């Protein structure tokens, strides 16, 4: 569903942005030329076509920038109509020059992206509390870390600072919810981040589930093999949960699912034989199949993947089209609660204009 929406959005951006850039370029040139010759119109059309094709690539920073400029220009278009009406059709030469220059849309985009650059690097601590009537032996503190995409946004120094903050959480359980690394992560960086996260202070250890990017399946020239990845994770004292579960403590089960991308077991198969009187946590990178998990007695499901949109208004599109069971935050369902983290960084673009970067703390308390 998400890929269908993205494909449609990319086609729309290509066509609309290309056509609109043709208008914008002609308008800009009208500041300097009284008329535009046919040859120039052909050149402008070709430039607009290229800009449209670049705008349609929403997986690139260039594409996102061009779409923002076009969107901001459309807003200025509306403002221009208001200015004309307020001015009762009187000419306002200064405003007309500013309007035709497209300077304001470019400045607006620059401000948005400057904010996004600093926002993605400002990692916050988000905390939720869930309650249970099940007979757990004590209250638990879970640290959920997802979507660091290491190497895309931050590197060694920031990693050290984050690790120190996470140590201070004094978690009972640490859950690495996938996409800790991605296609841009080198082998050395992969080893660095898992060694750091494997040493986060916790009572019952660090556990990990695969995301859709960790194994670099979208790269034709991966920096490391799947076996090298798994060997590094296990040598870093991190337990891999791949369609299986562990008894963390008396009355507490932590299960982890393989990512949606490859074939995987159902919650029923994973939890076969588990006493439903246990408090059951399910870690699944993508926030999907909530109903199946709830039927199997899962009490809490932990996910990431969505980045809470990352680039506005993506999150609201996900929410509107219900591409995931939960796009961000904490939700109490019938007999199950769910938490989706925005992630400690983001993918692809070095910016975040929707929500914030975060690691998430979940306090599980007895009623």
């Amino acid at each position: 569903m998400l890929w269908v929406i993205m494909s449609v959005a990319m086609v729309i951006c290509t066509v609309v942005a290309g056509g609109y850039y043709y208008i914008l370029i002609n308008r800009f040139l009208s500041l300097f030329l009284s008329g535009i010759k046919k040859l120039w119109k052909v050149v402008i059309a070709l430039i607009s076509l290229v800009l449209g094709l670049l705008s349609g690539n929403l997986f690139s920073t260039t594409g996102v920038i061009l779409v923002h400029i076009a969107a901001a220009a459309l807003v200025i278009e509306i403002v221009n109509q208001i200015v004309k009406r307020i001015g009762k059709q009187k000419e306002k030469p200064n405003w007309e020059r500013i309007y035709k220059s497209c300077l304001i849309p470019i400045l607006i985009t620059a401000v948005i992206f400057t904010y996004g650059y600093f926002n993605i690097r400002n990692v916050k601590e988000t905390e939720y509390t869930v309650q249970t009537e099940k007979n757990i032996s004590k209250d638990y503190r879970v640290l959920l870390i997802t979507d660091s995409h290491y190497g895309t946004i931050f590197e060694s120094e920031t990693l050290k600072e984050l690790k120190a903050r996470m140590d201070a959480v004094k978690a009972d359980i640490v859950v690495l919810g996938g996409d800790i690394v991605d296609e841009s992560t080198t082998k050395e960086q992969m080893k660095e981040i898992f060694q750091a996260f494997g040493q986060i202070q916790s009572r019952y250890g660090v556990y990990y589930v695969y995301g859709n990017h960790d194994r670099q399946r979208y790269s034709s020239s991966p920096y490391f093999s799947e076996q090298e990845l798994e060997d590094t994770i296990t040598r870093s004292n991190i337990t891999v949960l791949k369609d299986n579960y562990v008894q963390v403590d008396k009355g507490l089960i932590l299960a982890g699912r393989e990512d949606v991308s490859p074939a995987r077991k159902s919650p029923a198969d994973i939890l076969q034989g588990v006493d439903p009187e246990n408090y059951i946590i399910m870690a699944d990178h993508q926030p999907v199949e909530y109903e199946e998990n709830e039927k199997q007695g899962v009490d809490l499901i932990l996910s990431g993947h969505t980045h809470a949109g990352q680039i506005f208004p993506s999150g609201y599109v996900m929410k509107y089209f219900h591409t995931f069971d939960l796009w961000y935050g904490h939700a109490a369902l019938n007999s199950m609660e769910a938490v989706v983290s925005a992630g400690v960084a983001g993918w692809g673009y070095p910016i975040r204009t929707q929500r914030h970067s975060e690691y998430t703390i979940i306090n599980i308390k007895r009623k």
Side-chain angles (χ1 to χ4, degrees), residues 150-168:
Y150 192 54
T152 302
I153 309 302
F154 65 88
E155 295 186 0
S156 299
E157 287 306 311
T158 306
L159 178 59
K160 290 176 184 176
E161 293 171 9
L162 276 175
K163 201 270 184 178
R165 289 172 60 186
M166 292 169 179
D167 282 338

Side-chain angles (χ1 to χ4, degrees), residues 98-324:
I98 293 170
Y99 164 66
K100 289 183 176 181
S101 71
C102 294
L103 182 62
I104 295 177
I106 292 171
L107 288 175
I108 289 172
T109 302
V111 170
I112 290 171
F113 274 63
T114 300
Y115 160 75
Y117 177 86
F118 289 102
N119 183 47
I120 200 169
R121 289 160 175 80
N122 181 24
V123 182
K124 298 183 181 296
E125 181 178 286
T126 302
E127 191 163 353
Y128 304 108
T129 297
V130 301
Q131 294 186 317
T132 179
E133 294 179 349
K134 289 189 173 179
N135 190 27
I136 53 176
S137 57
K138 64 179 109 176
D139 295 341
Y140 295 97
R141 195 164 168 82
V142 180
L143 173 61
L144 174 63
I145 306 165
T146 76
D147 301 282
S148 54
H149 293 272
Y150 192 54
T152 302
I153 309 302
F154 65 88
E155 295 186 0
S156 299
E157 287 306 311
T158 306
L159 178 59
K160 290 176 184 176
E161 293 171 9
L162 276 175
K163 201 270 184 178
R165 289 172 60 186
M166 292 169 179
D167 282 338
V169 171
K170 296 181 179 178
D172 293 298
I173 307 161
V174 176
V175 176
L176 305 180
D179 284 0
I180 302 305
V181 295
D182 67 16
E183 293 76 21
S184 66
T185 311
T186 65
K187 187 175 180 178
E188 292 71 27
Q189 288 173 327
M190 180 268 289
K191 290 181 177 180
E192 182 180 23
I193 193 164
F194 280 111
Q195 286 168 2
F197 282 171
Q199 294 171 9
I200 295 173
Q201 294 180 21
S202 62
R203 183 184 295 272
Y204 298 107
V206 182
Y207 300 86
Y208 164 85
V209 292
Y210 284 103
N212 56 307
H213 285 281
D214 288 299
R215 288 172 280 207
Q216 300 194 330
R217 287 176 169 167
Y218 305 127
S219 172
S220 57
S221 302
Y223 288 102
F224 46 83
S225 69
E226 187 173 333
Q227 191 60 55
E228 287 173 325
L229 173 63
E230 188 153 343
D231 288 345
T232 298
I233 294 168
T234 53
R235 282 198 298 265
S236 301
N237 296 316
I238 299 170
T239 301
V240 177
L241 296 175
K242 190 163 58 174
D243 286 345
N244 63 322
Y245 71 87
V246 292
Q247 181 98 38
V248 175
D249 195 18
K250 184 180 178 182
L252 181 63
I253 296 287
L254 174 62
R257 300 191 72 182
E258 173 62 279
D259 186 58
V260 173
S261 307
R264 64 179 187 170
K265 292 181 180 179
S266 67
D269 289 335
I270 296 169
L271 298 172
Q272 189 173 13
V274 172
D275 185 346
E277 292 302 311
N278 285 289
Y279 187 87
I280 303 171
I281 303 172
M282 178 68 80
D284 189 357
H285 176 65
Q286 300 190 38
V288 295
E289 300 174 3
Y290 279 12
E291 188 175 341
E292 291 180 41
N293 282 279
E294 192 170 12
K295 285 179 180 177
Q296 299 307 314
V298 172
D299 297 283
L300 175 65
I301 186 165
L302 306 177
S303 302
H305 183 65
T306 67
H307 301 185
Q310 187 174 339
I311 304 295
F312 177 86
S314 301
Y316 297 117
V317 172
M318 286 188 281
K319 184 178 181 181
Y320 180 81
F321 286 101
H322 200 70
T323 54
F324 299 102

Side-chain angles (χ1 to χ4, degrees), residues 89-103:
Q89 306 302 325
K90 290 180 181 178
E91 288 189 12
K92 295 181 179 297
N94 290 335
W95 165 254
E96 194 70 14
R97 282 193 290 271
I98 293 170
Y99 164 66
K100 289 183 176 181
S101 71
C102 294
L103 182 62

Side-chain angles (χ1 to χ4, degrees), residues 33-45:
L33 303 172
S34 56
I36 299 175
K37 296 179 179 180
K38 286 184 179 180
L39 179 60
W40 273 104
K41 287 185 177 181
V42 173
V43 173
I44 293 167

